Amino acid sequence: MNCDRAKTLLMGSHDPSRPANEVAAHLEQCAACRNWHEGLVRIERRITQISVPRSQAKRELVRTLLAGKGGEWEDPSADGVASSPTQDETASRFPTIPLHHALTLMAATVLLAVGGWLLLARSPTPQMATVVVRRAPPRPDPLLTQFSENHLRLTQARSLGERLEELGRFVDHLHDYTRDQTISAEPATLHNLARIYDRLVSEGMVRGARTLKPLEREKVLAPLAERLARVEEDAERWARAAAPNSAEPMRQIAAVARLGTRQLHALIREEGTP
Amino acid sequence: MIRRAQEGDRESFAGLVEAYWDRLYRWLYHLAHDRHAAEDLAQEAFLKALANLHRFQAGTNFQAWLFRIAYNRFVNHYRRSARSRQPLPAHLVDHEPGPVEQAIGREARDNIARAIGRLPNDYRSALLLRVDEGMSFREIAGVLEITEETARWRVFKARQKLMEVLAPPAEPEAK
């Protein structure tokens, strides 16, 4: 065994302080590796001795929990805003997510994002935004709140490029939200999320990207393609870790992201085509 | 205790907070490099765990499940704050060094803390789960939602980088 091999095995081991027999044999014969090994073990030991600032938050949380007088546990949203109270004990404790409202808002948003520049040039009518606001549910939902903010920025965008960038931010927020749901959401919720991804990417992003001027494509579409590549990677990973019923919508999200990435790259390449 | 907490016993859940808070907060502090962020993330993770405790399978690894919830929240936080590698605080404040820390010296400790802080998040999170929490590569994989092989690889890379920065240069091999 040579020194590089010994070091590789030590760094990949569960516990470098307990080397395998063949590595231990090498260490007995090689002073340099022995020194190196002692350094590695010392560093790992010292990691456990690094202190962190004291925190009072544990005591506060425990006090809050013990002071509680019953009622449902609240599931914090991705934005740290308490979500809707849950329903009764026998029903799922996961708060009701009005995703049908999200779909309605998304459909209007995609229509605005795509139809706005196909039919209305750069000036979406205020009426459209008003209709969407009226359809928003009375109780704030973090996903809808975020979508509403994105939608507002979309109506204020001055160019197709800005609108596409805003759709990219939609994707980011949706992705953060989906990440939070992977542990606890029902399959139906995840399927709804997959449908929202599909609309956002294929009907909103890709369709809009096709009308972008060729010279602008690389600058606008490359970051969007990168985002979608990350979505695909994460969704595949979540699918592997999920129960079978939940894995399927995760794979759908990955497939949407993969196709979207390919389509955006194809549009970028077209730019260079004479 | 978990079963009682699943049945709605707040004292039991408070007991889980007592049992796991320090370790979770410590790990999150090393990831976020910010006390307040670490506290918020830990609190959110516990509340989310509490809200979804009925989904936890008793008999499986509660710590890994809790840390996984926390890691997902950290990832969202990290993306939102749009920070890459974060500078360490100038001082590690609000703590009193114990006898062990005094023995190894502030400089050595700070050097290691600084080097860990400069590791990419992926490597740092895996290394700390291995070294600080004593998790197996399989448990690390469960927390970070990666394969066991990737967990091993990330710990390997973290160790490699730390040794490059902190270890003395190698001497010629003795015969």
Side-chain angles (χ1 to χ4, degrees), chain A residues 16-250:
Chain A
S17 68
R18 293 179 188 177
N21 288 341
E22 51 179 346
V23 176
H26 175 82
L27 293 177
E28 272 182 36
Q29 295 168 5
C30 178
C33 282
R34 210 161 42 241
N35 265 351
W36 183 93
H37 173 242
E38 283 165 9
L40 176 61
V41 170
R42 193 164 44 241
I43 285 170
E44 293 217 339
R45 196 178 305 130
R46 286 179 180 171
I47 287 174
T48 65
Q49 294 160 353
I50 296 172
S51 58
V52 298
R54 284 207 190 111
S55 166
Q56 303 298 326
K58 173 174 78 169
R59 200 179 303 162
E60 288 160 18
L61 178 60
V62 168
R63 200 181 298 137
T64 302
L65 287 169
L66 293 176
K69 291 185 169 51
E72 297 295 332
W73 311 124
E74 285 192 352
D75 187 341
S77 71
D79 293 316
V81 173
S83 58
S84 314
T86 56
Q87 293 173 6
D88 63 19
E89 284 281 351
T90 55
S92 166
R93 287 185 185 173
F94 199 80
T96 304
I97 305 292
L99 284 177
H100 57 283
H101 290 298
L103 283 175
T104 304
L105 178 59
M106 281 317 306
T109 299
V110 167
L111 180 64
L112 174 68
V114 178
W117 61 66
L118 289 179
L119 298 174
L120 303 175
R122 294 190 183 100
S123 45
T125 61
Q127 282 172 333
M128 195 177 281
T130 303
V131 165
V132 168
V133 167
R134 281 189 191 142
R135 285 181 183 169
R139 183 179 287 159
D141 173 85
L143 182 61
L144 284 175
T145 302
Q146 194 58 63
F147 275 178
S148 298
E149 288 169 8
N150 285 124
H151 182 89
L152 185 61
R153 283 198 289 273
L154 202 58
T155 61
Q156 293 166 346
R158 289 165 298 182
S159 68
L160 180 52
E162 278 186 24
R163 289 183 190 185
L164 282 169
E165 281 165 6
E166 195 55 42
L167 282 184
R169 282 183 213 109
F170 264 48
V171 168
D172 284 345
H173 294 305
L174 180 60
H175 198 54
D176 286 348
Y177 184 84
T178 305
R179 179 184 288 106
D180 257 6
Q181 304 309 308
T182 55
I183 287 189
S184 52
E186 298 285 351
T189 302
L190 297 174
H191 276 289
N192 275 336
L193 286 170
R195 278 157 56 202
I196 294 175
Y197 270 103
D198 191 27
R199 285 214 163 153
L200 248 185
V201 174
S202 51
E203 293 179 30
M205 204 178 265
V206 173
R207 214 163 131 202
R210 288 199 174 105
T211 61
L212 200 58
K213 286 182 195 153
L215 288 178
E216 293 178 293
R217 283 183 187 176
E218 167 96 39
K219 183 183 164 216
V220 174
L221 302 185
L224 297 181
E226 209 176 293
R227 271 181 167 104
L228 291 182
R230 278 200 300 270
V231 167
E232 180 195 347
E233 191 185 321
D234 284 350
E236 287 287 4
R237 192 173 63 245
W238 296 335
R240 282 194 296 272
N245 284 352
S246 299
E248 180 52 37
M250 294 291 111

Side-chain angles (χ1 to χ4, degrees), chain B residues 134-150:
Chain B
M135 285 193 186
S136 65
F137 291 122
R138 189 172 177 184
E139 286 167 335
I140 294 170
V143 171
L144 303 180
E145 295 179 297
I146 53 180
T147 63
E148 194 173 330
E149 193 51 41
T150 302

Side-chain angles (χ1 to χ4, degrees), chain A residues 3 11-14 32 44 47 50-51 53-55 65 73 77-78 172 176 179 183-184 237, chain B residues 10 25-26 29 39 50 52 55 69 73 76 79-80 94-95 101 130 132 145 152 159 171 173:
Chain A
C3 298
M11 287 190 290
S13 69
H14 185 258
E44 293 217 339
I47 287 174
I50 296 172
S51 58
R54 284 207 190 111
S55 166
L65 287 169
W73 311 124
S77 71
D172 284 345
D176 286 348
R179 179 184 288 106
I183 287 189
S184 52
R237 192 173 63 245
Chain B
R10 283 180 179 253
Y25 164 73
R26 179 183 170 80
Y29 177 80
E39 286 174 340
L50 187 54
N52 294 284
R55 294 181 189 278
I69 292 172
R73 303 205 80 84
N76 283 349
R79 284 185 56 181
R80 246 179 265 127
D94 295 336
H95 74 282
E101 289 180 276
R130 175 63 216 101
D132 250 353
E145 295 179 297
R152 184 187 297 272
R159 284 169 173 157
E171 295 162 14
E173 188 173 327

Side-chain angles (χ1 to χ4, degrees), chain B residues 118-133:
Chain B
R118 293 206 169 102
L119 290 173
N121 275 336
D122 287 353
Y123 300 172
R124 184 166 70 241
S125 55
L127 178 73
L128 292 170
L129 288 175
R130 175 63 216 101
V131 175
D132 250 353
E133 295 304 319

Side-chain angles (χ1 to χ4, degrees), chain B residues 5-76:
Chain B
Q6 285 177 314
E7 288 161 9
D9 180 12
R10 283 180 179 253
E11 273 195 28
S12 294
F13 194 81
L16 290 173
V17 173
E18 289 281 3
Y20 290 102
W21 173 278
D22 289 340
R23 292 150 79 178
L24 181 62
Y25 164 73
R26 179 183 170 80
W27 184 59
L28 289 169
Y29 177 80
H30 281 303
L31 294 185
H33 294 313
D34 181 276
R35 190 188 95 194
H36 297 297
E39 286 174 340
D40 287 346
L41 289 168
Q43 181 165 353
E44 285 177 28
F46 274 107
L47 290 176
K48 188 157 183 86
L50 187 54
N52 294 284
L53 205 52
H54 61 291
R55 294 181 189 278
F56 172 73
Q57 237 178 325
T60 59
N61 189 332
F62 179 79
Q63 183 189 2
W65 184 73
L66 176 66
F67 273 55
R68 183 173 153 204
I69 292 172
Y71 187 68
N72 282 345
R73 303 205 80 84
F74 166 73
V75 170
N76 283 349

